[in-house]
Amino acid sequence: MIVSLIIGAEIAFWVVLAAGLAVRYALRRPRAGGLLLLCVPLIDLVLLTATALDLRGGAEPQWSHTLAVLYLGFTVGYGHYLIRWADGWAAHRWAGAPRPAKPPRYGWARARHEWRLWRLTLAGMGVSLVVAQLMIWLIDRPGAADTLRGSQLAALRILGIHGIIALSYTVWRKKEPASPAGQPPQRPVAAR
């Protein structure tokens, strides 16, 4: 049941996002589109409530509960970033806004970008850790919390792996390719 809810939440996220952007730009109703975009966090609230009720109702914690906890963390950490990305492209496509800047590819600018993404992962995995702990306290059954403690370890592993990736971009910065003779090197546009 929880896996179906997670899949439904992911589908609902993209449907509500697309609907909000379509109303905002295609129908030229920015306020109504903005209100639809504000509904995106409600999807996470529904998933969180369903997961908590499932566990409180006596269900044994399984890998699907771990997945729900990690998914909630991801959507909280990266949700605003994804909405802003999609909004930038929709504004470019339908409202004549400038093309959104691509992430930097070289040097310190790329390293800073990777550390910004790591901070989003930190926020998301922090939410996952807290939600898992709250659910452990909620079910309050000896032995039943092991799966949720596993989700906390998974969140810490994800955070550590992403930290290593960000560190690698800092230590081994990719150099900008040499430009043809007589032309100044092109500077990458920094992400906002």
Side-chain angles (χ1 to χ4, degrees):
M1 175 183 124
I2 296 299
V3 174
S4 300
L5 282 172
I6 295 169
I7 293 169
E10 181 68 11
I11 292 169
F13 172 83
W14 290 106
V15 167
V16 171
L17 178 61
L21 294 174
V23 168
R24 177 180 261 183
Y25 295 109
L27 300 178
R28 306 212 185 282
R29 309 267 311 185
R31 282 189 158 185
L35 285 174
L36 275 171
L37 292 175
L38 287 175
C39 292
V40 170
L42 295 176
I43 298 165
D44 295 336
L45 188 60
V46 168
L47 179 61
L48 176 63
T49 303
T51 304
L53 289 174
D54 188 44
L55 289 172
R56 189 69 176 162
E60 285 298 315
Q62 300 174 4
W63 65 271
S64 58
H65 295 99
T66 295
L67 184 61
V69 166
L70 294 174
Y71 176 80
L72 284 167
F74 174 80
T75 58
V76 169
Y78 281 87
H80 182 70
Y81 178 80
L82 289 172
I83 290 170
R84 198 172 73 229
W85 169 82
D87 189 49
W89 280 103
H92 170 67
R93 173 86 166 97
W94 290 322
R99 184 182 189 95
K102 291 184 179 179
R105 296 177 60 190
Y106 307 106
W108 284 110
R110 179 59 186 218
R112 282 190 298 275
H113 175 73
E114 289 299 324
W115 284 110
R116 273 188 232 112
L117 292 179
W118 181 82
R119 284 194 302 268
L120 297 178
T121 302
L122 175 64
M125 294 305 101
V127 167
S128 292
L129 290 168
V130 169
V131 167
Q133 190 61 48
L134 290 173
M135 288 188 181
I136 288 169
W137 291 335
L138 177 73
I139 58 174
D140 195 27
R141 288 190 309 249
D146 292 340
T147 301
L148 293 170
R149 291 207 195 288
S151 69
Q152 290 176 317
L153 291 174
L156 291 173
R157 277 194 297 269
I158 290 168
L159 186 61
I161 290 169
H162 196 175
I164 291 169
I165 292 169
L167 183 63
S168 73
Y169 276 98
T170 304
V171 174
W172 297 288
R173 291 179 306 282
K174 187 175 179 182
K175 294 188 190 300
E176 193 170 350
S179 61
Q183 293 182 353
Q186 292 183 348
R187 307 280 306 170
V189 179
R192 296 177 191 173

